[in-house]
Amino acid sequence: MIENRIAIAPGDIVLTDDGTAVVLRIDRAGLEMRDVRGQVSWVEWPDLKTVAPIDGSQTDEAPTLRSFAETWNRLDEDARAEALFRLAVVQEVATGYRHGHPELRLPGEPSELFDPALGSSLTVRCRRMAERLNHEMETGRRSSMSAPVSVRTVHVWFTLWRANGLIGLVDGRRAKRIEVFSTLPLAWREAAREVVAAFDGDVSTVNLREVRRRVKVRLRDAGQDLQVPDRAASRYVSHLMSTRGATTRAQRSNKLRGVSGTASFPAMVPGQVVAIDVTRSDVMVWCPVREGACSVEIISAMDLATRVILALRVVPMSADAHDASMLMYDVMRPFSQLVEGTDVSDWAWAGAPRQIEFYADADDAEPDCSGVEVTCPRTCRNLRVAPGLQGEHMVPGVRPAAVRADHGSIFVSQVFRELLARFGIDLPLSRTRRPIDNGILERYHETLQRGLQQLPGYKGRNPSQRGRVVGLDGSHRDEPLLTAPELEQFLRRWIVLDYHRTPHTGLHLPGAERVDLRPIDLFDALLKVTGRLHVPQRPDLIYDFLPVRWGTVGQSGVELSGLVYDSPVLDGLRAVPVGTFRAEDRAMPFFYDPHDVTRVWIRHPESERIMAVPWRKAHMTQAPMTETLVQHVRGAVRLRQGHPRLSSTVAEDEIIAELGSLLEGVAPKSWRKRVSAARMRHETARHDHTEAEAAMTVADMVTEHPAPSPTQPRGDDTFSIWADSWPFEASDREA
């Protein structure tokens, strides 16, 4: 075997087991070199061998001692790079020169901070080196470091180098793994990888002993009889199986690595990736139905590029797919919150129904701190507020390019997937058993404790933080528990006035001195770079987020899920020809809210307006009519003896009677939990639809009396948002 030839001249670097050495003199029999400690030694030519470049400035292979090269080459590239980085650190601490020799000085060397001739102690030099390394890491000039370095760490590196040379600076875990696996024959390792590769999630997983048996069978069939160390073989098989996945679900997830939608990438602009997740609230709320405390969940959506919370809802245990759909509805709506004196308004949909006008703004104008100014309404968040809390605070709305979620049933459901597909949104799910894939939002759940701990009924993050009596302390001893709507209102205020305005340690400008930014400030800065965001904005936008049910309208109305709906708005649609709405029958689409089944909605084919069609017997009960509760009641009614088969009309009457008794508190205790969750969801749905109806009413009024053109002066350069941002046709427009 012919080894590579290298050219060596006086002044070149040779890598030794003690670090770098500089060549002093060359002879036909060998060379003379001096190491970092100042010791001069003679090396004959047969004792030299080539290795990979020592640093990035070299393009050819570098010379080293043959005895050291065998150990050095068994290390992987990351281990060698890490050891050489540490070597440069300790050499500069020891000599004042990064390469350890005056002949190889870099500009500015020897540094006054590390020159031992100036009398600084080793501890002082280690402290200065740790400070410089951490500063370079924070400013982005040192990308090879993943964590801060302490003075103790630098001192340990120096001690290990002085005792064991360069090999002492190699991470012991890396060296141990390489040393063990290198004792296994290459053919045996390839056979083991082929056996383990078969476990892709479709094949049942076996134990490690069976994997080793299959490796032996594969080698025997190939005519190879290899003897391998038992311990090394076991560790290698365990390493391969742990990488593959311990369960079939994990194996299927790992098989998707590298596929579009599963690979991680940094979010660079607002709306590029929105993370959503559900967490149990650590604050108990008061339930009027159960007349006691109960637990709820908090579902949130965060823009990963800016850490802005785009939407938040408090939902009953446990969140369903429609809760996730309504959260996406909130994500696409820009909100505003007004602070006037000590009054703080709830989140209002910007432009509907309480705020109609925005104020024009000149980009080059100086901010007027005497009042509130809002820039172009076609951007979601570009607002200047007066100093302090007073003024209007905007919560932006975005149209996500992708939504990051875990494998929760509500996120992988067909309802949620179809909703995202309708808006062209990708759904890159986190890997199974890897919560760190959505780690930014998981960390936000810990930050949320700062707000929850201010409330009565706080029960601690986990059982180790829980007291004997939940929610009673010196500050909240006499305060009643909040209801679920009140908790949601408080959290929304806390997000806008606290979280969005608090410097975030995860947000800073790359390549510059570390300055923590506030989430809302970074959103403003990135919005200036990316330009306006395109978000669908219509007063009837909520109905794009509802599932569609198809039903045939007859003389008595339309029957959907066992309930009959009828209204005068269906006149003219009761006997439409086949193929009017779809080719195969006379059915027409209805928007259906699983959290409020007392009515459905249609988009009238003539006026293109959304119109409600109520349930015929909605006036006979005040119960929270949700789809889940109705199904439970219907199931209980049909199981009664003497009525094995009931018509839909009789079932409706029984449902009214059952729900009525439940509402009066006569029902068994087992039903109160269902009724409590149903009431919470029903009230939220009523609020959402009432807001949409108010917005559509205002839109109809503006249509009848058009607002002045934006080009016409009106007051202090104000213009109506309705004239430009809310079109009244079915197509989406940018906002």
Side-chain angles (χ1 to χ4, degrees):
M1 178 178 178
I2 301 177
E3 298 184 357
N4 296 335
R5 294 182 178 272
I6 57 176
I8 301 179
D12 289 346
I13 299 178
V14 176
L15 190 62
T16 70
D17 56 357
D18 201 29
T20 58
V22 62
V23 177
L24 300 179
R25 184 171 60 87
I26 296 178
D27 189 80
R28 62 181 181 179
L31 55 86
E32 188 179 56
M33 59 184 184
R34 183 181 68 245
D35 60 16
V36 177
R37 305 174 193 271
Q39 299 178 356
V40 178
S41 59
W42 176 264
V43 179
E44 297 183 354
W45 291 115
D47 293 334
L48 290 178
K49 189 177 181 180
T50 59
V51 296
I54 296 177
D55 55 51
S57 63
Q58 296 173 281
T59 57
D60 300 328
E61 293 186 329
T64 186
L65 297 181
R66 181 178 297 275
S67 60
F68 171 71
E70 296 176 358
T71 303
W72 183 254
N73 287 333
R74 282 202 299 265
L75 302 173
D76 58 21
E77 183 178 352
D78 293 338
R80 292 195 296 265
E82 184 180 48
L84 290 175
F85 166 73
R86 295 178 179 180
L87 177 64
V89 171
V90 297
Q91 286 183 158
E92 189 166 3
V93 170
T95 65
Y97 302 95
R98 182 168 301 178
H99 295 306
H101 304 277
E103 296 88 344
L104 304 175
R105 66 168 55 93
L106 298 175
E109 292 184 347
S111 172
E112 296 181 356
L113 299 176
F114 310 108
D115 190 357
L118 298 180
S120 299
S121 65
L122 177 61
T123 302
V124 172
R125 284 177 281 162
C126 290
R127 176 177 56 79
R128 293 172 177 174
M129 177 59 70
E131 292 174 351
R132 189 176 74 173
L133 292 177
N134 293 332
H135 177 74
E136 291 178 351
M137 184 192 69
E138 292 177 356
T139 57
R141 293 196 293 270
R142 178 68 64 182
S143 60
S144 58
M145 293 174 51
S146 58
V149 175
S150 65
V151 180
R152 172 66 178 168
T153 300
V154 178
H155 197 279
V156 168
W157 289 351
F158 186 88
T159 304
L160 292 174
W161 169 75
R162 187 164 53 184
N164 304 312
L166 179 56
I167 293 299
L169 298 176
V170 177
D171 191 309
R173 293 166 295 181
R174 299 178 185 269
K176 185 176 181 181
R177 183 173 67 249
I178 297 298
E179 190 69 28
V180 170
F181 293 166
S182 63
T183 60
L184 298 173
L186 179 60
W188 193 94
R189 283 180 284 167
E190 291 179 350
R193 285 195 294 265
E194 292 174 358
V195 171
V196 173
F199 299 104
D200 57 356
D202 298 330
V203 180
S204 299
T205 304
V206 298
N207 57 31
L208 302 181
R209 185 170 181 175
E210 173 61 17
V211 174
R212 289 190 56 191
R213 188 195 67 81
R214 296 183 183 185
V215 174
K216 294 178 181 179
V217 172
R218 181 179 291 269
L219 291 173
R220 187 200 61 185
D221 295 341
Q224 296 178 328
D225 186 12
L226 300 177
Q227 299 296 326
V228 297
D230 185 75
R231 183 177 179 180
S234 299
R235 291 183 59 184
Y236 188 71
V237 170
S238 177
H239 168 70
L240 292 179
M241 288 299 295
S242 63
T243 304
R244 198 69 180 175
T247 63
T248 54
R249 184 176 181 181
Q251 292 165 6
R252 285 192 295 268
S253 179
N254 293 333
K255 185 174 63 175
L256 297 176
R257 288 182 178 178
V259 181
S260 176
T262 61
S264 298
F265 61 96
M268 303 300 295
V269 298
Q272 186 175 7
V273 180
V274 171
I276 59 176
D277 199 5
V278 183
T279 185
R280 171 176 262 181
S281 171
D282 294 322
V283 169
M284 305 291 289
V285 300
W286 178 260
C287 176
V289 175
R290 300 165 68 176
E291 296 184 349
C294 66
S295 297
V296 292
E297 290 185 336
I298 303 172
I299 180 170
S300 309
M302 171 188 284
D303 176 54
L304 292 186
T306 61
R307 310 298 198 269
V308 166
I309 301 300
L310 302 171
L312 177 141
R313 289 198 174 212
V314 174
V315 298
M317 301 282 293
S318 295
D320 58 21
H322 190 63
D323 290 326
S325 299
M326 289 296 97
L327 183 74
M328 294 305 301
Y329 169 57
D330 290 342
V331 167
M332 295 194 189
R333 298 190 296 166
F335 289 95
S336 67
Q337 188 175 72
L338 183 63
V339 179
E340 292 181 330
T342 58
D343 296 331
V344 182
S345 68
D346 195 6
W347 279 17
W349 185 3
R354 283 172 282 183
Q355 177 180 334
I356 298 179
E357 293 184 344
F358 282 72
Y359 292 81
D361 176 47
D363 292 339
D364 299 332
E366 293 294 331
D368 181 9
C369 296
S370 61
V372 179
E373 283 188 295
V374 182
T375 63
C376 176
R378 303 186 70 82
T379 60
C380 297
R381 156 70 191 173
N382 197 3
L383 177 70
R384 289 201 291 264
V385 299
L389 297 179
Q390 299 299 315
E392 190 173 11
H393 302 260
M394 297 293 292
V395 180
V398 300
R399 183 172 186 166
V403 169
R404 167 73 75 179
D406 56 26
H407 284 260
S409 59
I410 66 175
F411 302 130
V412 300
S413 64
Q414 183 179 1
V415 173
F416 191 67
R417 287 179 178 272
E418 289 179 351
L419 172 66
L420 297 185
R422 196 180 311 153
F423 286 93
I425 301 174
D426 191 17
L427 181 62
L429 297 173
S430 304
R431 293 171 295 171
T432 57
R433 301 175 61 184
R434 295 294 188 274
I436 194 63
D437 286 355
N438 212 6
I440 296 177
L441 189 56
E442 296 288 353
R443 179 59 183 85
Y444 158 75
H445 290 158
E446 297 297 328
T447 305
L448 193 62
Q449 298 301 305
R450 194 172 76 244
L452 295 176
Q453 291 174 2
Q454 304 174 19
L455 302 176
Y458 179 73
K459 58 183 179 180
R461 191 72 175 108
N462 52 60
S464 65
Q465 301 176 357
R466 197 161 298 164
R468 282 192 309 109
V469 182
V470 174
L472 295 181
D473 61 5
S475 59
H476 299 305
R477 185 174 300 276
D478 299 327
E479 294 186 30
L481 297 178
L482 300 181
T483 62
E486 290 173 342
L487 174 60
E488 181 178 276
Q489 183 183 51
F490 170 82
L491 291 178
R492 289 182 168 185
R493 292 181 178 182
W494 178 83
I495 287 171
V496 171
L497 303 180
D498 188 319
Y499 173 78
H500 281 175
R501 302 174 67 253
T502 300
H504 197 294
T505 57
L507 302 177
H508 55 273
L509 298 178
E513 296 291 338
R514 181 163 187 143
V515 177
D516 296 336
L517 301 176
R518 302 186 302 178
I520 203 65
D521 291 338
L522 184 59
F523 192 97
D524 287 344
L526 292 183
L527 194 63
K528 289 292 186 181
V529 177
T530 61
R532 61 186 182 184
L533 301 176
H534 297 268
V535 184
Q537 291 298 298
R538 301 191 311 274
D540 57 0
L541 180 64
I542 186 175
Y543 302 101
D544 292 348
F545 293 81
L546 299 183
V548 175
R549 300 286 178 88
W550 289 82
T552 302
V553 181
Q555 295 303 319
S556 60
V558 57
E559 182 178 346
L560 299 173
S561 301
L563 303 180
V564 180
Y565 301 86
D566 194 16
S567 172
V569 301
L570 297 179
D571 295 341
L573 302 174
R574 300 182 186 273
V576 296
V578 175
T580 301
F581 296 96
R582 62 180 183 182
E584 60 268 24
D585 52 26
R586 297 189 297 111
M588 64 179 298
F590 290 86
F591 298 108
Y592 179 85
D593 191 339
H595 293 172
D596 182 9
V597 298
T598 60
R599 50 185 171 169
V600 293
W601 296 264
I602 64 170
R603 187 178 295 276
H604 201 280
E606 295 181 359
S607 63
E608 292 293 332
R609 292 290 192 272
I610 294 292
M611 298 183 177
V613 181
W615 176 38
R616 292 190 311 178
K617 299 185 179 181
H619 63 284
M620 301 179 66
T621 179
Q622 297 297 322
M625 295 286 289
T626 65
E627 183 181 43
T628 302
L629 186 60
V630 169
Q631 289 176 352
H632 280 292
V633 175
R634 182 180 288 116
V637 169
R638 290 187 179 275
L639 290 177
R640 288 182 175 179
Q641 296 181 357
H643 298 281
R645 301 177 64 182
L646 299 176
S647 65
S648 60
T649 303
V650 177
E652 280 188 348
D653 297 335
E654 293 281 1
I655 289 172
I656 294 172
E658 288 287 337
L659 291 178
S661 63
L662 288 174
L663 193 64
E664 295 168 3
V666 185
K669 292 183 178 180
S670 59
W671 279 87
R672 295 184 181 179
K673 183 177 181 181
R674 295 192 181 100
V675 176
S676 173
R679 175 172 291 280
M680 192 182 305
R681 290 191 168 101
H682 187 76
E683 291 177 351
T684 301
R686 285 281 180 175
H687 176 271
D688 293 336
H689 291 293
T690 300
E691 184 184 56
E693 291 169 359
M696 289 186 290
T697 300
V698 176
D700 291 337
M701 296 172 56
V702 174
T703 303
E704 296 176 359
H705 305 284
S709 170
T711 58
Q712 299 177 358
R714 183 185 178 192
D716 298 332
D717 296 332
T718 64
F719 61 91
S720 174
I721 187 175
W722 307 101
D724 193 38
S725 293
W726 270 14
F728 308 121
E729 63 272 1
S731 60
D732 292 345
R733 289 283 299 276
E734 57 192 25

